[in-house]
Structure formats: structure tokens, C-alpha cells
Amino acid sequence: MSAGRWRRLKDRLAGRVMGALAFLVAMLVFFIVVALATRARPLLDIQSPVVLLTSSEWHPRQGKFGFLTFIVGTVWVTVLAMVLAVPPCLLCAIYLAEYAPRRLRGTIKPVVDLLAGIPSVVYGLWGILMVVPFVRDVVTPLAARHLGAIPLLRADNPTGYGILSSGVVLAVMVFPVIISVTEEVIRAVPDGMREAALALGATRWQMIKGVALRRALPGIIAAVVLGFSRAFGETMAVMMVVGNVPQIPRSLFDAAYPLPALIANNYGEMMSIPLYDSALLAAALVLLLIVLAFTIMARVILLHAVRRAA
Amino acid sequence: MMTDSVVQVRGLNVTYGNGPAVRGVSVDIPARQITAIIGPSGCGKTTLLRSMSRLLDLVEGVRVEGQVLFHGQNIYDPRVDVTEIRKRVGLLAQQPFPLPMSIYDNVAYGPRVHGLRERKALEALVEKELRAAGLWEEVKDRLREPASGLSIGQQQRLCLARGLAVEPEVLLCDEATSALDPISARRIEDRLLELKADYTIVLVTHVLRQARRLADYVIFMYMGELVEHGSAKKVFSNPKEDRTRAYLAGEFY
Amino acid sequence: MGKHLEERVMLGLMIGSMVLVIGSLLLILATVLVKGLPALNLAMLTQVPKGGYYLGKEGGILNAIAGSLAMASGATALSFVLGLGVALYLQLFVRQSSRFAHLVRLALDVLWGVPSIVYGAFGFTLLLLLKMRASLLGGIIALALLELPIMVRGMEEVMGMVPFGLKEASSALGATRLETALRVFVRQAAPGIVTVILLAFGRGIGDAASVLFTAGYTDRMPSSLLRPVASLPLAVFFQLGTPLPEVQQRAYAAALVLVVIVLGISLLTRLLVRRLSRYVVR
């Protein structure tokens, strides 16, 4: 075979192999869903998915599997984390995008990225060492004394392990995601718009409030949805400080049992109780589908925003 | 008198996403002469040039109809080995893009890719082409240094050496001097004048003075169409078409 | 006067937020350092757990350090090869406007958001299917899946910044797409590629949820692909869960080692990028 022929053959072969790889990667989510669903089938055959999602009865040994408690627990923790994280992250992102001198931004951004690199267990460790004692020894007594009237803040749980602690830890964990995406989105607002507002005599903040944020709003919403999606699936750190008590929470101080923690905690016993493995893998499937929905939602929001701007 | 021709364009139509760029162009490129394609910006001269080595394949959303014949064979025939065509029809682009490697490796890249491995032969070839490009004296002591460290004029001469190293028959130059300072530009022009003895050169330029200086044959394009072509002497002194006359007089550019 | 006051107040809040964010980071690092340093000694780094380790007797976390390094290296290598292939394919072998390219990119966006515990669960089902036990190989596969979206996305981004003129120059010399990919694109994007590799490695080495199901745990050094392997995140987790303070101390030490590795990688990235940018064309 001539040299030219051999080179062309290599090129075509490489193209085919890489194309196949790309195809497999594209199908990967599908494979994961199928694999989990297949393993969860024994359970789904005898118990309808609707019951699975809406029942709060969780008694594996009696064959009763209901995810509601855990889904609600996850929602509580995640929503609290977002409520705690979004305002400071937004402010940080605005500062970095609009006010910070370039050198400061160049120093701060790597620091924020550093936060993103810290492993989940280390966050959990910090939670146990610092957040839980603080909640237990400072916040809980204070709330018990002064805020007992508000049901949301009824401080019945003296251990410190609960939604509040895990919400705080989770909030810090999603700082980097929200800050970096929001900052990018704000910086993408065209300078022409800014100049127009500033030239009319607005302060920088007025320009931001009236022009930049309004323009960046879809992107900011997408960033929040993305952060929510990340927080929803976070396992280790939350598991270590949330208490892991399977109950539907009534107050921020209550312990809860998020879905990822359920899966992680009971992995060891999966094979010993009938249908337990199907249940836990069904839980993983539910988690995946919820996160998928949020990811696609974020993308759709961004797509709409881009289309509107064009 | 028609000299022999290695490249012939036949009924070329090139359409981009937003409209036709080249419409029904047919012309023979004379061998071993400098052919200048001139015309106002957006007239399709760059597209015409790039169609001659199938570089349009790299661009998104392009449709090419018609034929470009190289040694009698249509280069757009799917059975043709495009890498072989591009070896024999080289490109010198407007913006010099040295490859991310040393000066030596830049020039040796083409030959290596086409199978030349023997060190002595490569070294000799690199020196020969760097001399031909007029760069040897300036870089002979730093061949292993990154090519990105050269000045822009030197980089363009490096790109010329690199293009010559694969031993093409035709050299396509797309505004090859417009990014350079006048001295570097002049050096490239001088090299091209020397090279035309052995290579067929087709260049695109928007600088009429450059065309007058270098061209043996002229092709004038306007709005994607071939308006007029012929020997430089005839077209520059006595253009047949009104549009050509107007362009040469500087009425539009 | 009102509008200036409002701006002042907002700026104050912004600075406060920055302090909050950076302060949190410093608090976390400080906690790990203060708690972990006293418990860190040579024995911890050079020994595996001996008998009675979990009751406070001798040993160290070498099994976890070696296990983590082995798993993360294997996973990063695997996902690098796959990721490079997919990224080069998307950049050089398909039209950017093609439906396939859009599909792959959408899939990657989705994969990027999949929680690591789901990758662990998926890895678990694969192991069941292949009738394998939790092992080093299982951990490598789960981590490789976790790292894959980071790898591909990162490399796509880096390669997208290679100027078109470079692709044209290489093609104009008669190089095939594969040759342009490997000889020009990879070299031009090298600093970025290294950054991405290190980023993915750092992500992989710190993850616990995906290896929980798939890698198992052991007190021994990694010896075979088919045997369970220890990992630092799980070492922290398990040791923290014991009631004995001496063993909990060791968890702090393990956490410190993990943080040092991750931070070290960050630093290494910056240094390497500077060195590798020598040949890159701007």
C-alpha cells in the first residue's frame, strides 16, 4: 500500500473509531437510565411508581418502600442551601464582574475555584467540627428561647445535626458554581448597554440594577437552577451532618434523610433484604431523573434567552 | 499566445450560507507565471483562490459546484486524495500562522507528514527552503527555538519556506503581504518574483500597485463574476470592460 | 443623594459577601489544618493499618493514599483517552452545525450534572452484570465516568480556542485530519489539556460517593485490579464514624492529606501551564 493510501486509511479509521466513541458518550445517560431501571424492575413490577414517589412509609423488612420522606428531606436541605447561598453569591458575582479591579478579580477567581476543588468529605468534616457545634450550642438555644412561636423554627432537635447544619454546609459547597456562572453571565452583557445607562448619569449600581441584571436575568436563573441541581445530588457532606432520621421535617432544626444519603447509607445491607437493592437503585433513578429535569430546564432557559436577545 | 496551464477552473459556483460568492467562473491559470486576482472587497477573489486547493472544505456551510482541473483531473472528484492535491498546491495566507513548534519543525512538518523521515535529507531540505524564502541567515543559529518568537515578517517568510518544503507546483498567496510592514512585504514580493521561474503563482491582492509590480496575468472579479482576464500588460493598459476601467482608475475599491 | 447612598450600601453588602465566601474557604482550610496537623506523623503516611488500628493501635493511611492515587490515575488516564478522542472528533471530523455534534454536546451537558452517587450506582449495576466484586477496576470505571464530562468539556473548550488559521495552515500542507489533530491541535492546546487533566484528577481523587459502591475498602495496599482498594475520602468517612477519639484524629489527618493533594494539584497546574506555553501560537 502506498504511503498516501495508508495515511488516508488511518485517517478514516480514526474518524470511525472516534465517532463511535462520541456516539457511546452521547448514549451514556440513556444507558445509565436503562441499567438502573432494569435493576429496579422487580420492585416496580409489584409497586406502582406513583406509590413509590408519594408514600412516606419506609419499612424495607416489611416490603414497604416509599420515597416521599426522603424526597421532601432533600428538597428542604437544598432549598435552604439555595436561600442561604444565592444572595451572597449574586452580590459577589456583581462585585467581581462590575466593580473589582482586574488584579483583584484575577486573585479572587482562583480562590473561588479552590472552594470548588475541596472534596465533599472535607466539607462534611468541617460541618461536623464547626457548623454542628455552632448550631447546637448557639443557634438552637437562641431559637428555642426567642423564636419558638414560629413553627418553621421550632428548635426541638438538641443534637445540631439537621437541616440547618446541612443547609449551611451545602450552601458553601455551591458558592463556586453560582458565582462563576453568574459572573460570566453578567460580564456577557454588552458594554454598549452599560455605557448608555451610565452616560445618562446613573450610578454604577443603578445601571447594574436597571440594565445589566435585567439583561442577565435568564442566565442568572439558569445559574441558580444549575446550583440547585448540583446541590440536590450532593451526597457525602450532607449525609454527615443532616442526622439521617427518616421523618418528614417540620422545622429547620429537625433532622432529615435526603435521598442520596439513603442510597449511600444502606448500600451495605442492600443484598440482605429482598427488593432492597431494587428500591435503592430505583431511588438512584429518581434522583437522576430529577437532576436531569433541572439540567434540561436550565438549558432551555438559556436557549430562550439567547433567542430573545438575537 | 496561450502558454500551457496546470490549473483550469470550469464553471465554478461557490455558495455560502448567505448567498453566492463565486458565479460561473471559468479561467485557465498560466503555468510558471504570476497571476493576480484583483477586485473590490467581497468580490469573491479569496473564495476563488481557496477553491483551487479545496480549502473551502474546511469552512462551514459552503457548497461548491463546477470543476477545478489540476493536470486534467477534477480535484473535486470524491475519489481524489485531497491531501495529495494540497501537497501540490500550496497556500501562503494573509496572517502568518506558524505551527506551535520550533522553526526547524515548522519547515520539516510538511515533508515529515508526507513520509520523509531521514534526518540528513530533512536538514538539507529545511536549509534549502529557508534560503529560498530569504530567512536562513537570520535563523540558522536558532532553528530549535519556538517559531512564535519571530517577528511577523520573519513568520511570513517561515510560512513561505514551510509551504515550499512540500515541493508544490502551484503557490496560492492570499493577500500575503497585507499584514506586513513595507520592508517585509517587499522581501516577500522579491521572493515571489524569483520563485515564478519554478512555480505557478496565483495571488490575491487588493493593492493595485502590487498587482502591477508582480503580475504577468490578471483576473478581475466583481460581485462573484469573472469580468475580464488576460495578460497584465493588456489588461492594465487597455482594459476591455467598463467595470475594469473604473476599478483600475480607482473609482471604487 | 439617595442614589449614591444606595450604591454605598450595596457595595458594603458586596464586600461583606466576598468576605463571607473567602472567609468560609479559609475557615474550612484552617479547620482541616488545625485538626489534622497534630494527628499527622510519619507513621500515618508510611504504614498501612495494622491489627487493632481501628481500636486505636498502630498503623497509618498509606493504603488509602496509595489506593486513591492508583484509582484516580487509572480513571484519569482512561477518561483522558476517551475524552481526547471525542473532543478531537467534534473539533476536526464533523461540521459544527451537524445534528450529531449538537446531540453529543447536549449529552455532555447532561452528564456533567449527574450526581456522583448515580455514577456509583451505575458502576454497581455494571459490576453485578459482569459478576465482579467491588475492586480497584470498579472504582476506576466509576471515576472515569465521573471525570469524562469534565475532560471532554474542558478539552473541547481548549481546542475551540485554537485559531482557524492553524487548522488551515496544516491542512494546506496536505496533512490529514488525524495528523492535524495529533501534531498541531494537541501541541497548541497542550497547556490547556494539562490543566483539564489535572482538574479532572483532582475531582476524581476527592470523590467518595462513586467509589463507595464500586471500590470497596481494605486495609491492604492496592495489589490487583480485581481486589477492593482503600481511598482517602472513605478513610476519612469511616474513621470519623468510629466512637474512639484516637481514630477520629486519624480521620482529620487523612482529610489534611487529601486537601494537600488537591491544593498541590492546583498549584502544579499553574506552574505547568506557564512552562508548556512556550511553543503556543497566539
Side-chain angles (χ1 to χ4, degrees):
Chain A
M1 203 190 301
S2 72
R5 269 279 209 71
W6 173 230
R7 284 170 61 213
R8 274 207 294 173
L9 190 67
K10 265 200 293 192
D11 185 68
R12 253 199 312 223
L13 208 68
R16 297 257 166 84
V17 168
M18 294 203 263
L21 270 179
F23 182 72
L24 284 177
V25 168
M27 294 287 108
L28 191 54
V29 181
F30 183 65
F31 289 156
I32 296 179
V33 170
V34 166
L36 291 176
T38 312
R39 275 280 153 188
R41 198 98 165 314
L43 178 62
L44 294 174
D45 280 345
I46 58 174
Q47 192 169 331
S48 95
V50 178
V51 173
L52 203 60
L53 290 174
T54 54
S55 154
S56 55
E57 291 200 30
W58 181 262
H59 303 292
R61 286 177 205 279
Q62 297 163 28
K64 291 212 164 72
F65 300 104
F67 290 149
L68 188 66
T69 319
F70 309 98
I71 296 179
V72 171
T74 320
V75 171
W76 273 72
V77 174
T78 312
V79 169
L80 177 62
M82 295 310 285
V83 165
L84 291 176
V86 170
C89 285
L90 200 55
L91 288 167
C92 252
I94 294 175
Y95 182 75
L96 285 174
E98 299 281 340
Y99 288 96
R102 197 170 351 134
R103 278 201 25 213
L104 189 61
R105 198 190 314 139
T107 336
I108 301 282
K109 287 198 76 177
V111 168
V112 172
D113 287 339
L114 223 66
L115 258 183
I118 296 181
S120 190
V121 278
V122 174
Y123 273 103
L125 182 65
W126 172 66
I128 293 180
L129 288 175
M130 209 176 250
V131 180
V132 168
F134 184 68
V135 167
R136 180 186 60 216
D137 302 330
V138 175
V139 184
T140 311
L142 261 172
R145 216 154 357 129
H146 301 285
L147 299 167
I150 310 173
L152 195 65
L153 298 172
R154 197 179 44 218
D156 278 348
N157 178 10
T159 65
Y161 287 90
I163 296 179
L164 187 57
S165 299
S166 53
V168 169
V169 172
L170 196 54
V172 180
M173 287 184 83
V174 294
F175 278 171
V177 173
I178 304 180
I179 291 178
S180 63
V181 178
T182 308
E183 193 247 352
E184 244 179 72
V185 163
I186 294 178
R187 285 188 66 200
V189 172
D191 278 334
M193 281 193 178
R194 294 171 216 268
E195 276 172 5
L198 291 172
L200 293 166
T203 62
R204 201 163 184 101
W205 168 247
Q206 282 177 318
M207 178 276 290
I208 295 171
K209 198 167 56 156
V211 176
L213 284 185
R214 199 166 297 186
R215 175 63 183 251
L217 192 61
I220 297 177
I221 296 180
V224 171
V225 172
L226 224 64
F228 187 90
S229 167
R230 281 314 206 94
F232 204 84
E234 178 43 57
T235 312
M236 296 309 280
V238 172
M239 186 165 108
M240 289 160 83
V241 292
V242 76
N244 297 327
V245 176
Q247 62 185 14
I248 298 213
R250 307 250 172 256
S251 142
L252 285 178
F253 288 88
D254 284 350
Y257 209 160
L259 206 56
L262 172 70
I263 306 171
N265 270 331
N266 297 297
Y267 152 72
E269 305 182 343
M270 239 200 293
M271 307 307 266
S272 52
I273 303 177
L275 291 180
Y276 209 178
D277 62 328
S278 294
L280 290 181
L281 289 171
L285 183 61
V286 168
L287 186 59
L288 176 61
L289 292 174
I290 294 178
V291 166
L292 238 77
F294 279 116
T295 308
I296 297 183
M297 199 194 304
R299 241 209 176 205
V300 167
I301 295 176
L302 276 174
L303 228 74
H304 261 225
V306 166
R307 212 168 283 160
R308 233 173 357 117
Chain B
M1 189 199 87
M2 201 57 219
T3 51
D4 57 346
S5 153
V6 187
V7 179
Q8 296 107 32
V9 180
R10 293 277 174 273
L12 188 68
N13 279 302
V14 180
T15 323
Y16 285 109
N18 50 6
V22 170
R23 287 188 268 207
V25 172
S26 296
V27 66
D28 292 354
I29 307 289
R32 284 195 209 81
Q33 291 184 19
I34 297 183
T35 300
I37 308 179
I38 61 174
S41 56
C43 67
K45 45 192 202 290
T46 300
T47 309
L48 175 61
L49 186 79
R50 277 193 163 66
S51 72
M52 294 183 195
S53 74
R54 283 187 59 176
L55 285 171
L56 295 175
D57 290 4
L58 298 173
V59 181
E60 298 272 325
V62 173
R63 219 188 39 229
V64 177
E65 292 158 331
Q67 296 185 332
V68 174
L69 301 173
F70 183 64
H71 285 295
Q73 202 193 21
N74 179 21
I75 68 176
Y76 282 92
D77 187 328
R79 289 166 295 173
V80 154
D81 178 5
V82 66
T83 63
E84 189 61 26
I85 298 294
R86 291 184 184 143
K87 175 180 186 291
R88 298 162 80 183
V89 181
L91 174 77
L92 190 60
Q94 176 174 0
Q95 196 64 28
F97 274 102
L99 299 171
M101 27 186 103
S102 68
I103 295 173
Y104 179 88
D105 286 331
N106 257 274
V107 185
Y109 178 76
R112 277 203 182 115
V113 146
H114 288 284
L116 181 60
R117 298 214 188 286
E118 211 239 330
R119 198 161 61 92
K120 284 223 168 67
L122 275 174
E123 281 178 12
L125 185 59
V126 169
E127 181 177 338
K128 167 170 169 255
E129 303 306 350
L130 282 172
R131 281 189 196 279
L135 190 59
W136 174 252
E137 289 302 319
E138 288 163 62
V139 299
K140 65 183 179 190
D141 296 322
R142 42 178 176 135
L143 289 174
R144 302 292 167 178
E145 283 181 20
S148 48
L150 295 173
S151 76
I152 196 170
Q154 290 171 321
Q155 283 183 2
Q156 189 66 307
R157 278 178 280 152
L158 177 65
C159 291
L160 179 59
R162 181 181 73 189
L164 293 174
V166 292
E167 291 166 348
E169 294 171 46
V170 180
L171 199 55
L172 307 175
C173 302
D174 185 7
E175 308 260 14
T177 57
S178 44
L180 307 179
D181 59 278
I183 298 181
S184 307
R186 207 43 192 281
R187 293 175 94 161
I188 297 274
E189 285 185 11
D190 291 339
R191 293 281 88 65
L192 291 179
L193 285 168
E194 282 171 25
L195 289 167
K196 81 168 174 188
D198 300 308
Y199 302 87
T200 301
I201 300 179
V202 186
L203 60 86
V204 162
T205 181
H206 68 277
V207 179
L208 276 176
R209 283 221 194 95
Q210 183 176 67
R212 286 186 209 271
R213 265 200 300 271
L214 301 177
D216 301 309
Y217 198 80
V218 171
I219 295 174
F220 173 60
M221 290 195 62
Y222 182 67
M223 304 250 284
E225 288 180 354
L226 174 57
V227 175
E228 186 169 348
H229 63 100
S231 83
K233 231 186 327 193
K234 266 194 274 180
V235 174
F236 282 133
S237 58
N238 200 10
K240 278 186 275 183
E241 300 284 329
D242 286 333
R243 282 173 290 179
T244 321
R245 201 187 315 262
Y247 180 71
L248 291 175
E251 281 169 37
F252 59 95
Y253 44 88
Chain C
M1 193 52 215
K3 65 181 182 181
H4 288 291
L5 183 61
E6 190 187 351
E7 182 165 40
R8 288 270 192 78
V9 167
M10 293 313 294
L11 261 174
L13 286 175
M14 284 183 221
I15 306 271
S17 303
M18 299 272 289
V19 168
L20 182 69
V21 171
I22 299 179
S24 313
L25 174 67
L26 292 176
L27 264 181
I28 297 174
L29 292 180
T31 309
V32 173
L33 196 66
V34 162
K35 286 294 200 171
L37 209 52
L40 198 61
N41 52 48
L42 202 60
M44 280 293 278
L45 294 175
T46 53
Q47 293 176 13
V48 295
K50 308 265 173 41
Y53 175 74
Y54 295 101
L55 299 170
K57 301 241 170 72
E58 291 143 27
I61 49 172
L62 187 62
N63 60 330
I65 298 177
S68 271
L69 289 174
M71 252 198 310
S73 307
T76 307
L78 184 57
S79 63
F80 169 66
V81 170
L82 296 176
L84 187 66
V86 175
L88 284 174
Y89 182 77
L90 289 175
Q91 282 292 317
L92 283 162
F93 284 78
V94 284
R95 293 248 167 274
Q96 299 304 301
S97 51
S98 83
R99 257 204 281 155
F100 185 52
H102 277 151
L103 177 68
V104 175
R105 292 205 172 100
L106 175 64
L108 281 168
D109 265 353
V110 166
L111 282 171
W112 200 69
V114 172
S116 57
I117 195 162
V118 172
Y119 282 121
F122 177 60
F124 179 69
T125 61
L126 280 181
L127 289 179
L128 284 182
L129 190 71
L130 299 170
K131 305 226 197 304
M132 281 170 40
R133 298 178 48 212
S135 56
L136 177 56
L137 186 59
I140 287 180
I141 294 177
L143 280 185
L145 288 173
L146 181 67
E147 292 184 24
L148 191 62
I150 303 174
M151 275 285 187
V152 181
R153 229 198 200 194
M155 290 210 264
E156 261 249 281
E157 223 180 272
V158 164
M159 289 197 210
M161 297 199 287
V162 174
F164 174 75
L166 218 53
K167 182 181 181 185
E168 187 180 58
S170 173
S171 303
L173 290 164
T176 62
R177 297 169 303 184
L178 183 64
E179 286 157 353
T180 302
L182 294 178
R183 294 177 195 230
V184 174
F185 260 71
V186 171
R187 281 178 100 141
Q188 172 74 359
I193 291 180
V194 167
T195 310
V196 173
I197 292 178
L198 290 176
L199 202 76
F201 183 86
R203 178 83 179 85
I205 204 171
D207 196 74
S210 54
V211 299
L212 188 60
F213 292 25
T214 51
Y217 199 81
T218 177
D219 287 340
R220 283 184 274 193
M221 293 286 282
S223 53
S224 137
L225 276 176
L226 298 173
R227 285 249 183 88
V229 67
S231 53
L232 276 170
L234 291 183
V236 173
F237 183 62
F238 292 145
Q239 286 171 143
L240 210 54
T242 67
L244 292 167
E246 303 89 10
V247 184
Q248 286 178 354
Q249 301 271 34
R250 295 183 174 150
Y252 308 152
L256 180 58
V257 172
L258 189 54
V259 167
V260 165
I261 292 180
V262 170
L263 289 186
I265 290 175
S266 249
L267 225 75
L268 191 66
T269 310
R270 272 167 232 291
L271 288 172
L272 275 179
V273 165
R274 213 167 295 162
R275 271 202 72 207
L276 285 168
S277 298
R278 225 182 144 226
Y279 286 107
V280 164
V281 170
R282 305 220 170 277

